[in-house]
């Protein structure tokens, strides 16, 4: 117990100090209220006003399927009544009445006798005469074709195709590989705004129009929300761009105004080249084949066939294993010093000696520029290499003959295509046929995001027939002629 003498008296706190503390508290509360008010005010100032009201059928669909299927795609094909009868065969190669949702938009009506039961429905495009077009020596049909996006969305909305997740656009001479389209588009969230396509093979065409544009002949895909937004604003966009040449330039410009950029998929092929497509098809990028365009301009894909027959022949392999079509696989026979490059479902090349893989991944220039003339620059958006003019310096080429499917796997057979009279000293001089065995390729979304080229083995000895087996590469396996 402390004595009174040890008690310490507390000093009196001046009243003005209490008053000062209360003022600080009031100032703190006031500042906090001001900050909250400014945040509220700034939020409303910077929120743009828009009349766009998302359709709940597309923006909020609780029953979106986990796995994309062909029924979730809608194809719109631009065609001309003057050429449609000659190009309908291309459409019938990939269109299946019982599973494919598609419509062909024509400029004028045609005779019903032109169509068959396996043809898609035909509609006449809406009137576009009110829209200006000022490109010198251009074609006003570009406006009609661009406006097919709006025509399509209006049709789907009225005919109750609310389950559509992707809208795919192309021309009547565009051949689509629909199974691969389903797989590739499944990589992307269909509820977000996607503009998926690819550039032209021609550097000049890209430089002239845009390096960021999906070329329409090769085909492009719009996710449903983007298609809806584009359809709402398309007419105002068309009025602002009378000076552009093509329909794809107009679509690109309007999509750009919506703030969306191109998502590139190299499986779309505009085919802005002429001549022989062998170099392009024999070294396809490591990506599923999605489309081929301008097939009535280039040479037939296979020798000794018409253009339609050749594409139909390719579809024999497509039906057996669509994911693997044109997949390039390279293997080596060290004992015979041979290099074999397989473009599955199309052709096999046999080279003498050790050909390095990076060299084989570049394209042989078997084709010529899209633009004709003496002073045309042969510049491409591709890695290319010289195609020897001397046939004896070219590899032996074997084209697809037939496809045999079973529960064990798929056999494709390729027969020699002789060009010129060359005396071969290697083991291939008696080679007549190459048989390739593979399992059906079933990749998932993750494999598509990080693809890896397969490996292959050559069975010896090589006589009249060579056997090649395609397989998955080992963990650290190199595709090279090991020394």
């Amino acid at each position: 117990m402390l004595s009174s003498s040890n008690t310490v008296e507390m000093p009196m706190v001046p009243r003005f100090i209490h008053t000062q503390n209360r003022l600080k508290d009031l100032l703190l509360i006031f500042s906090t209220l001001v900050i909250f008010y400014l945040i509220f005010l700034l939020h409303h100032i910077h929120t743009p006003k828009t009349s766009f009201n998302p359709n709940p059928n597309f923006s909020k669909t609780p029953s979106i399927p986990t796995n994309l299927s062909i029924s979730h795609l809608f194809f719109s094909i631009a065609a001309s009544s003057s050429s449609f009868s000659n190009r309908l065969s291309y459409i019938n190669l990939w269109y299946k009445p019982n599973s494919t949702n598609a419509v062909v938009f024509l400029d004028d009506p045609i005779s019903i006798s032109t169509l068959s039961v396996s043809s898609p429905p035909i509609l006449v495009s809406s009137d576009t005469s009110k829209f200006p077009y000022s490109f010198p020596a251009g074609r006003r049909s570009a406006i009609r074709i661009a406006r097919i996006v709006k025509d399509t969305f209006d049709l789907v909305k009225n005919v109750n195709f609310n389950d559509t997740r992707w809208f795919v656009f192309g021309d009547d001479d565009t051949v689509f590989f629909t199974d691969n389209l389903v797989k590739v588009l499944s990589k992307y969230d269909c509820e977000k705004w996607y503009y998926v396509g690819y550039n032209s093979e021609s550097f000049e065409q890209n430089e002239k129009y845009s390096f960021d544009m999906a070329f329409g002949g090769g085909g492009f895909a719009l996710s449903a929300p983007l298609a809806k937004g584009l359809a709402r604003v398309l007419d105002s966009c068309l009025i602002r761009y009378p000076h552009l040449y093509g329909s794809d330039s107009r679509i690109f410009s309007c999509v750009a105004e919506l703030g969306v950029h191109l998502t590139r998929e190299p499986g779309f092929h505009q085919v802005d080249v002429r001549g022989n497509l062998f170099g392009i098809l024999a070294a396809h990028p490591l990506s599923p084949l999605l489309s081929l365009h301008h097939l009535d301009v280039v040479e037939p894909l296979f020798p000794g066939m018409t253009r339609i027959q050749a594409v139909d022949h390719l579809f024999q392999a497509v039906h057996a294993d669509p994911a693997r079509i044109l997949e390039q696989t390279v293997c080596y026979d060290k004992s015979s010093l041979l290099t074999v490059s397989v473009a599955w479902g199309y052709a096999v090349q046999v080279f003498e000696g050790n050909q390095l893989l990076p060299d084989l991944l570049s394209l042989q220039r078997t084709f010529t520029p899209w633009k004709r003339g003496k002073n045309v620059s042969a510049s491409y958006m591709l890695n290319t290499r010289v195609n020897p003019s001397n046939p004896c310096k070219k590899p032996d080429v074997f084209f697809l003959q037939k496809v045999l499917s079973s529960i064990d796997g798929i056999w494709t057979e390729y027969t020699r295509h002789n060009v010129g009279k060359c005396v071969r000293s290697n083991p291939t001089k008696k080679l007549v046929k190459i048989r390739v065995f593979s399992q059906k390729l079933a990749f998932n979304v993750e494999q598509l995001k990080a693809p890896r080229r397969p490996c292959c083995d050559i069975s010896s000895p090589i006589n009249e027939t060579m056997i090649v087996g395609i397989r998955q590469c080992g963990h650290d396996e190199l595709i090279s002629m090991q020394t």
Side-chain angles (χ1 to χ4, degrees):
M1 184 173 180
L2 297 175
S3 64
S4 59
S5 60
N6 294 330
T7 302
V8 178
E9 294 187 0
M10 298 297 295
M12 295 294 292
V13 180
R15 179 174 297 180
F16 76 90
I17 294 179
H18 289 290
T19 304
Q20 189 179 38
N21 289 339
R22 284 197 295 271
L23 286 173
K24 287 182 178 179
D25 292 340
L26 290 173
L27 285 173
L28 181 60
I29 293 171
F30 178 76
S31 300
T32 303
L33 291 173
V34 169
I35 291 172
F36 278 115
Y37 173 75
L38 290 174
I39 293 174
F40 175 81
L41 185 63
L42 288 172
H43 173 74
H44 282 76
I45 289 175
H46 289 283
T47 301
K49 294 182 179 179
T50 176
S51 60
F52 182 73
N53 183 22
N55 185 339
N57 289 331
F58 285 117
S59 61
K60 293 181 180 180
T61 307
S63 59
I64 292 177
T66 303
N67 296 319
L68 194 70
S69 71
I70 188 64
S71 65
H72 301 130
L73 274 58
F74 193 97
F75 293 84
S76 293
I77 306 303
S80 170
S81 58
S82 61
S83 61
F84 180 66
S85 60
N86 296 325
R87 294 180 172 182
L88 180 58
S89 297
Y90 289 118
I91 299 175
N92 289 340
L93 286 172
W94 59 267
Y95 172 76
K96 304 303 177 207
N98 296 328
S99 61
T100 314
N101 300 319
V103 170
V104 175
F105 286 91
L106 289 171
D107 48 355
D108 293 304
I110 59 171
S111 172
I112 300 298
S113 60
T114 306
L115 306 177
S116 67
V117 293
S118 60
S119 303
I122 305 295
L123 293 177
V124 175
S125 299
S126 58
D127 180 28
T128 57
S129 59
K130 68 178 181 180
F131 297 100
Y133 186 86
S134 59
F135 190 92
R139 298 178 180 178
R140 279 194 57 86
S141 59
I143 300 174
R144 176 186 73 85
I145 296 172
R147 204 168 184 269
I148 286 176
V149 172
K150 179 173 174 54
D151 289 343
T152 299
F153 194 83
D154 291 343
L155 171 69
V156 169
K157 181 175 58 177
N158 294 329
V159 185
N160 193 26
F161 274 96
N162 287 337
D163 204 28
T164 300
R165 302 296 172 223
W166 292 91
F167 292 86
V168 183
F169 300 88
D171 291 347
D172 53 2
D173 62 339
T174 305
V175 173
F176 286 110
F177 299 84
T178 56
D179 290 314
N180 291 345
L181 266 170
V182 171
K183 288 291 186 181
V184 168
L185 292 177
S186 67
K187 293 193 300 183
Y188 307 107
D189 184 349
C190 62
E191 287 195 307
K192 296 181 179 177
W193 287 25
Y194 276 105
Y195 167 50
V196 184
Y198 207 61
N199 305 125
S200 169
E201 294 83 359
S202 167
F203 179 86
E204 183 182 31
Q205 292 290 96
N206 290 313
E207 186 178 42
K208 184 176 182 179
Y209 298 112
S210 177
F211 288 92
D212 297 320
M213 181 183 82
F215 277 66
F220 62 93
L222 302 176
S223 59
L226 176 56
K228 183 185 190 312
L230 181 59
R232 290 287 299 271
V233 303
L234 187 57
D235 284 356
S236 64
C237 261
L238 293 177
I239 292 173
R240 283 193 294 281
Y241 294 100
H243 59 285
L244 298 180
Y245 170 71
S247 60
D248 40 16
S249 295
R250 287 166 166 78
I251 296 298
F252 161 67
S253 299
C254 297
V255 169
E257 287 191 359
L258 287 171
V260 179
H261 66 90
L262 175 64
T263 297
R264 289 177 171 83
E265 282 292 345
F268 287 105
H269 293 280
Q270 171 72 8
V271 191
D272 276 343
V273 297
R274 299 182 186 273
N276 189 346
L277 283 188
F278 180 84
I280 292 177
L281 303 182
H284 193 264
L286 194 58
S287 181
L289 176 63
L290 303 179
S291 71
L292 291 172
H293 183 225
H294 283 151
L295 293 178
D296 57 348
V297 175
V298 297
E299 296 174 10
L301 303 185
F302 292 96
M305 300 183 185
T306 66
R307 290 181 174 90
I308 291 295
Q309 288 173 340
V311 183
D312 185 50
H313 188 59
L314 182 70
F315 265 81
Q316 290 186 27
V318 172
H319 294 320
D321 193 350
R324 200 182 289 279
I325 191 69
L326 298 188
E327 180 185 63
Q328 186 183 14
T329 310
V330 177
C331 46
Y332 299 86
D333 188 329
K334 183 178 178 181
S335 61
S336 301
L337 290 177
L338 295 176
T339 302
V340 176
S341 177
V342 179
W344 193 90
Y346 176 59
V348 178
Q349 300 175 82
V350 181
F351 298 83
E352 295 184 23
N354 180 14
Q355 304 292 323
L356 298 176
L357 179 63
D359 295 334
L360 298 180
L361 298 182
S362 61
L363 281 61
Q364 301 172 70
R365 290 194 295 274
T366 60
F367 43 86
T368 57
W370 176 251
K371 188 176 180 180
R372 295 167 174 171
K374 293 182 179 180
N375 299 319
V376 175
S377 174
S379 298
Y380 305 103
M381 302 290 291
L382 311 162
N383 295 320
T384 64
R385 55 191 168 99
V386 174
N387 180 42
S389 57
N390 185 348
C392 298
K393 293 185 179 180
K394 296 181 179 182
D396 290 317
V397 178
F398 299 74
F399 282 104
L400 177 72
Q401 178 67 25
K402 60 182 177 180
V403 182
L404 303 170
S405 299
S406 69
I407 58 174
D408 298 322
I410 302 172
W411 285 97
T412 48
E413 292 189 2
Y414 307 79
T415 55
R416 182 192 287 272
H417 176 62
N418 292 313
V419 178
K421 296 181 179 179
C422 299
V423 179
R424 301 290 186 181
S425 59
N426 59 42
T428 67
K429 61 183 178 181
K430 295 182 179 180
L431 189 59
V432 176
K433 179 172 59 178
I434 297 177
R435 301 186 71 210
V436 178
F437 179 78
S438 61
Q439 300 290 338
K440 186 170 183 178
L441 185 59
F443 43 51
N444 56 38
V445 172
E446 295 305 316
Q447 289 172 318
L448 282 171
K449 292 179 180 178
R452 186 185 180 190
R453 194 176 303 279
C455 291
C456 56
D457 302 303
I458 302 171
S459 298
S460 297
I462 300 172
N463 296 312
E464 292 185 355
T465 301
M466 176 190 290
I467 305 295
V468 176
I470 297 177
R471 58 174 174 80
Q472 186 177 353
C473 293
H475 183 68
D476 294 325
E477 185 174 1
L478 298 174
I479 303 176
S480 66
M481 184 176 288
Q482 301 293 329
T483 56

